[in-house]
Amino acid sequence: MSEHQEQSAARPDGDQATHQAPALPAATVFDALGAEYERAFAGSAAHHASLDRLLEHLAPGSRVLDVGSGTGVPTARRLAGAGHRVVGVDVSPVMTALAARQVPDAEFRCGDIRELPWADGEFDAVCVYFSLLQMSRGEQSGLLGRLARAVKPGGRLAMATVPVDVADVSAVFMGQPVVVSSFGEEEFASVVAGAGFAVEERHSVLFTPDHPAGAPEPHLFLHGRRI
């Protein structure tokens, strides 16, 4: 999943919007968006502040897994530029190819993060920026548990989501029909903790994407460590 998927078209009561086109697979959505996604979201000051926070905790040359690496900007670029060994995974071939060109010092793999095997303790940190929202709630919880096992005890977590209490809701993301799920802020923090991470910091902001269809949306950033 690319670095951001959201449900701005979902109604607050969780009902599905009417007259939606059939939802598209995540790879199709983000193949279509390509660099347009980066232009809309890479300038988020809160995202960059989250990366600053993560970088403060990483030892030199840390191995970092970037889940939903998108075009590689800003996450992989910032981490690789600081000398860390980044492995980015994204389901979109177009996004993965863009990332490889833009961040040649990082490694990028095109695939579904839910299906790729990782050794226990393989990484010093994991980033999960807005990359769960086209998964069901159960898939999100299960993946976070797998990611926790892939991080060394004491290793770092940096992640973000759109903290809205919705499940399998039809929406339109930058013109693309999708189905999204998420949790409210408190429940999401509990899910992260239940997966095996100690949540140490939370930060909520409103962000407006740099896109003609952009509207203010809540973003929740979490930082923690592997228990």
Side-chain angles (χ1 to χ4, degrees), residues 69-73 94-104 108:
S69 46
T71 66
V73 180
V94 170
M95 291 285 204
T96 304
L98 280 169
R101 291 197 297 271
Q102 296 193 128
V103 193
F108 295 98

Side-chain angles (χ1 to χ4, degrees), residues 67-80:
V67 178
S69 46
T71 66
V73 180
T75 303
R77 176 179 283 176
R78 289 283 310 277
L79 294 170

Side-chain angles (χ1 to χ4, degrees), residues 10 15 21 24 51-52 94 96 104 111 122 137 155 180 182 194 202 223:
D15 290 344
L24 298 173
L51 290 169
D52 290 339
V94 170
T96 304
E122 184 174 348
R137 287 176 166 183
V180 295
S182 189
R202 293 190 286 180
H223 284 264

Side-chain angles (χ1 to χ4, degrees), residues 42 78 172 178:
R78 289 283 310 277
V172 176
V178 296

Side-chain angles (χ1 to χ4, degrees), residues 133-166:
L133 292 157
Q134 280 181 260
M135 300 181 191
S136 70
R137 287 176 166 183
E139 288 173 325
Q140 292 182 41
S141 299
L143 177 60
L144 285 168
R146 287 191 61 226
L147 294 175
R149 292 188 292 274
V151 177
K152 297 175 182 176
R156 307 304 304 183
L157 166 73
M159 70 180 309
T161 191
V162 178
V164 179
D165 184 11
V166 295

Side-chain angles (χ1 to χ4, degrees), residues 113-136:
I113 190 67
R114 294 167 293 187
E115 299 173 357
L116 297 176
W118 309 107
D120 289 353
E122 184 174 348
F123 296 96
D124 299 296
V126 60
C127 297
V128 193
Y129 286 110
F130 303 106
S131 51
L132 304 182
L133 292 157
Q134 280 181 260
M135 300 181 191
S136 70

